[in-house]
Amino acid sequence: MAIKIEIRGVQSLIKKLDSVAEIDGAIRQATVKSTGIVQADAKQNAPVDTGNLKSSIKMNVEQNDESTTGTVSTATKYGMYVEFGAGVRGAASEHPKAGELGLKFSPNVAGQTAQPFMYPALKKNEAKIGRIFTDEVKKAAREAVNV
């Protein structure tokens, strides 16, 4: 007595799995490109006194099994106050994200006017970021099909 097991479509499955890896790589590449663009614009937008704020603007891309995340940030303690303002002047600046983030401004301090540099960098590049992701994924999909 013999038992025969036949598995069909293995090559097709391997090809599909390779295309998933290609897409995953494309998403990472698009995230790196997009995050770099936002970082460059944030540096360009940052007000300069000593240059410390501008030089502290860094980007980071992290990837795990479920997501890829690009982050642009500043390590300075005062970067948030430059972006959103502080005190009475900050509250009067009406940064587009201040209300959404639930920021509270002290009514007892004159503070400083907001000088947004991060948020405008993101908003300016939203359409470009969308095109980058579309182009990278399409390119990876074409390459996966031509394997």
Side-chain angles (χ1 to χ4, degrees):
M1 182 171 147
I3 298 176
K4 182 178 178 181
I5 298 174
E6 183 177 349
I7 301 173
R8 295 181 184 185
V10 172
Q11 290 305 317
S12 174
L13 176 61
I14 289 170
K15 195 173 189 178
K16 287 178 183 176
L17 291 173
D18 284 344
S19 72
V20 169
E22 292 287 333
I23 302 288
D24 194 43
I27 289 171
R28 178 169 177 72
Q29 182 64 26
T31 304
V32 169
K33 283 182 181 180
S34 299
T35 306
I37 288 168
V38 173
Q39 177 198 25
D41 271 1
K43 284 186 170 211
Q44 185 176 354
N45 296 342
V48 177
D49 184 15
T50 65
N52 188 41
L53 176 63
K54 186 176 195 167
S55 67
S56 77
I57 299 171
K58 306 290 184 211
M59 65 170 266
N60 184 46
V61 175
E62 292 181 2
Q63 188 171 24
N64 60 40
D65 291 340
E66 296 181 18
S67 67
T68 302
T69 305
T71 305
V72 177
S73 62
T74 174
T76 63
K77 293 179 181 180
Y78 56 86
M80 182 176 82
Y81 300 113
V82 175
E83 176 76 19
F84 295 103
V88 175
R89 291 185 186 125
S93 298
E94 297 182 10
H95 187 287
K97 288 293 189 180
E100 184 180 315
L101 296 172
L103 299 179
K104 305 275 191 246
F105 297 93
S106 173
N108 304 324
V109 178
Q112 69 179 40
T113 303
Q115 299 175 72
F117 59 100
M118 291 278 204
Y119 184 71
L122 176 61
K123 292 305 284 181
K124 172 185 172 189
N125 291 295
E126 283 180 328
K128 186 185 287 186
I129 290 167
R131 286 190 304 274
I132 289 169
F133 274 86
T134 299
D135 292 348
E136 289 292 328
V137 170
K138 281 182 179 178
K139 179 179 155 189
R142 279 193 305 271
E143 289 173 4
V145 169
N146 292 326
V147 171

